Amino acid sequence: MRDIDVSVITDAIEKMCINANRHLPQDMQAGIKACRACEDGPIACTILDQIIDNFQTADKENVPICQDTGMACIFLEVGQEVHFTGGALYDAVNEGVRRGYTKGYLRKSVEADPIRRGNTGDNTPAMITVDIVPGDKVKITVAPKGFGSENMSALRMFKPSAGLQGIKDFILETVEKAGPNPCPPIVVGVGIGGNFDHVALAAKKALLRPIDSHNPDPYYAALEDEMLEKINELGIGPQGFGGRTTAVGVNIETLPTHIAGMPCAVNISCHVTRHETEVI
Amino acid sequence: MAEELRRVQLPLTPELARTLHMGDNVLLTGTIYTARDAAHERMTENLAKGIPLPFDPMNATIYYVGPTPAEPGKVIGSAGPTTAGRMDKWAPEMISLGARGMIGKGARQPSVVDAMKKYSGVYFGAIGGAGALLAKHIKKCKLIAYEDLGPEAIRELYVEDFPVTVIIDSEGNDLYKSGRAEYLKLHEENQKA
Ligand code: SF4
């Protein structure tokens, strides 16, 4: 057993919320620059230059990359040997988000009630996902997620007969429908399999993976490459003004599923795809 | 076409609006007002009750933005555009009152485009997600109404050389449609060459 005081979690999350919102991860920076190098649309080149200028400005001046500092999506991989002390884990996570969003001058974008609305004033509650894993460590990932892109995401319960083609068409259709709204160039997180709820989580987790990585299964790694190419043939381009760079990455995560189904979720993210990880 | 920047001094009169064309990259200077979903809802509800808008809508430009809080010593936090389509429900009414300029990102409904054609409206796109960069062009910021709405409160901004692209012009031409088609044509020609 390893005792971890939850205040350690609070402190880490406070710091990570601020950093994730100010410094775009290296994989995204490199991915956008690589797309700029092979862009052939004139307006698209100008826009990509400004997008690069923007994340470099945020880096240098230590300010938020985007004004939508998102809902704080917090993923915890908790080793089963860990024993939390000093308070409730979820309270500690929310306290970290509260402090980070307040001290870091980040936007508070969370409404207390989905229909009756009303801003909670401190960006809590966080969207928390906990996985129990072997070991005595805690891996924390903070991924602030904006809603311009979240709103363009989609989930469909396919019959198995729809096959691979059905999945491919659905991914392209979702990106096409999203058009300029999710601030392209986008990152596309795809979940396939599982059931209704787990497939959505798989798509969200796909967005946590660096865009220069591949699914370990060569079949899905090839599908990631194929879909990225097909998406970039749509011509939507940066900001939807036309161009090659519609997406900078496609990540696919899969799960075993039921004999009667083939769920698929497409979680769209933007050129400000933020994630920061720390192991305690 | 991308490098030809034109400076535009606000307010946006109908005459000025009609000189702006789809795809023009322009730098805006002057006063604009921020409003998102909650502010639009309250403004139009108030109008129905006979309460006037917190700013003079005639020739005004509305920026769909909810900035991050300003750090001490700064005018404003990051301030990029939000998805304009969520304001489509209220935009035709605002345009009919003279607020003919809109700054946002993303596609608009035909009802908004119709109002723009009728009242010489212009829909400008600012780069979605470029909040750090755009904030540098905001020189003054004053909260003028609905403070309780937090990031959604209405602010009066003074902007200098604020970079935008005309997405939909007063004739209803739409860059989202033409820009993509033009690129695909160009790309095809490049492939053949
Ligand atoms: S979709 Fe992304 S880049 Fe666009 S406004 Fe939202 S968080 Fe910012």
Side-chain angles (χ1 to χ4, degrees):
Chain A
M1 250 333 162
R2 175 183 170 213
D3 283 353
I4 296 181
D5 193 291
V6 290
S7 66
V8 175
I9 306 289
T10 300
D11 291 346
I13 288 179
E14 171 188 333
K15 195 182 71 203
M16 291 163 82
C17 285
I18 298 175
N19 278 342
N21 272 300
R22 295 181 177 194
H23 307 288
L24 194 66
Q26 279 314 315
D27 64 300
M28 284 299 296
Q29 297 208 8
I32 294 170
K33 284 182 186 159
C35 286
R36 169 64 181 86
C38 38
E39 179 58 68
D40 61 347
I43 301 185
C45 287
T46 314
I47 303 278
L48 287 174
D49 284 340
Q50 285 175 291
I51 285 174
I52 293 168
D53 192 2
N54 183 65
F55 67 64
Q56 287 174 342
T57 301
D59 242 347
K60 213 168 58 227
E61 299 186 9
N62 205 21
V63 295
I65 312 159
C66 177
Q67 77 292 335
D68 187 353
T69 50
M71 282 189 108
C73 302
I74 314 279
F75 298 83
L76 300 172
E77 282 179 26
V78 179
Q80 64 190 29
E81 310 292 329
V82 170
H83 173 227
F84 289 111
T85 60
L89 176 65
Y90 279 37
D91 292 348
V93 169
N94 281 320
E95 183 58 23
V97 169
R98 184 175 295 122
R99 285 191 208 159
Y101 274 73
T102 309
K103 291 187 193 167
Y105 295 91
L106 305 175
R107 201 179 75 185
K108 288 60 170 189
S109 315
V110 175
E111 303 274 60
D113 184 282
I115 295 171
R116 292 167 296 175
R117 318 299 289 175
N119 199 299
T120 62
D122 58 10
N123 220 51
T124 67
M127 299 288 106
I128 305 174
T129 306
V130 177
D131 287 316
I132 305 295
V133 299
D136 64 356
K137 304 250 182 314
V138 180
K139 183 173 163 192
I140 308 173
T141 300
V142 174
K145 181 71 169 74
F147 257 56
S149 51
E150 194 77 351
N151 277 343
M152 305 319 289
S153 306
L155 191 155
R156 194 172 293 168
M157 303 303 287
F158 283 101
K159 311 266 181 311
S161 60
L164 177 61
Q165 195 55 46
I167 301 285
K168 287 183 187 175
D169 292 347
F170 180 54
I171 296 171
L172 282 178
E173 177 195 312
T174 307
V175 171
E176 172 93 52
K177 263 198 209 151
N181 291 9
C183 296
I186 58 175
V187 178
V188 185
V190 182
I192 312 170
N195 58 359
F196 186 78
D197 48 327
H198 283 258
V199 75
L201 188 56
K204 174 72 82 257
K205 285 185 174 174
L207 291 174
L208 303 181
R209 183 147 60 74
I211 51 166
D212 51 9
S213 67
H214 273 103
N215 186 302
D217 180 338
Y219 177 81
Y220 289 109
L223 186 59
E224 289 173 340
D225 287 342
E226 184 190 338
M227 291 319 296
L228 181 60
E229 206 179 305
K230 289 225 165 79
I231 288 169
N232 284 335
E233 279 166 10
L234 292 174
I236 296 170
Q239 298 297 302
F241 297 159
R244 181 191 170 278
T245 314
T246 300
V248 288
V250 177
N251 285 350
I252 300 174
E253 293 292 326
T254 64
L255 296 162
T257 191
H258 188 272
I259 45 172
M262 188 177 63
C264 181
V266 179
N267 196 185
I268 306 271
S269 191
C270 52
H271 65 85
V272 190
T273 294
R274 297 154 282 200
H275 44 82
E276 176 128 338
T277 299
E278 201 177 303
V279 178
I280 288 170
Chain B
M1 71 189 110
E3 262 63 49
E4 291 162 25
L5 294 181
R6 178 179 153 197
R7 291 203 150 79
V8 169
Q9 179 71 48
L10 299 169
L12 193 63
T13 60
E15 298 73 34
L16 177 58
R18 286 194 286 269
T19 67
L20 295 166
H21 302 290
M22 175 194 76
D24 289 354
N25 284 306
V26 299
L27 300 170
L28 300 178
T29 297
T31 298
I32 60 175
Y33 300 94
T34 73
R36 293 174 44 110
D37 316 42
H40 273 85
E41 182 147 39
R42 195 174 292 178
M43 283 194 289
T44 47
E45 269 170 22
N46 282 349
L47 280 174
K49 289 186 216 146
I51 304 168
L53 296 183
F55 56 88
D56 179 6
M58 190 42 73
N59 300 334
T61 295
I62 298 180
Y63 184 15
Y64 303 140
V65 61
T68 58
E71 289 191 32
K74 295 219 173 131
V75 173
I76 198 166
S78 289
T82 194
T83 307
R86 294 198 319 272
M87 266 52 77
D88 284 357
K89 186 173 157 192
W90 307 288
E93 185 175 357
M94 301 302 292
I95 297 167
S96 74
L97 295 171
R100 67 190 84 254
M102 295 163 282
I103 308 173
K105 62 156 172 132
R108 308 305 300 260
Q109 289 295 320
S111 58
V112 179
V113 182
D114 288 345
M116 288 171 62
K117 287 204 254 184
K118 190 162 165 204
Y119 299 99
S120 298
V122 182
Y123 172 44
F124 301 101
I127 297 190
L133 201 64
L134 291 167
K136 293 184 145 194
H137 298 274
I138 300 172
K139 302 300 176 185
K140 287 185 214 160
C141 171
K142 188 167 94 189
L143 200 147
I144 58 166
Y146 311 161
E147 191 172 359
D148 60 297
L149 296 181
E152 301 212 44
I154 298 186
R155 292 168 173 87
E156 183 185 287
L157 306 180
Y158 184 81
V159 297
E160 252 171 42
D161 291 341
F162 191 85
V164 291
T165 304
V166 177
I167 300 180
I168 305 176
D169 61 26
S170 59
E171 285 165 19
N173 301 304
D174 187 340
L175 183 61
Y176 289 136
K177 292 182 186 132
S178 327
R180 187 174 167 191
E182 234 169 75
Y183 167 75
L184 288 172
K185 210 171 85 200
L186 177 110
H187 182 70
E188 210 174 297
E189 282 161 15
N190 285 351
Q191 295 296 93
K192 273 186 223 145

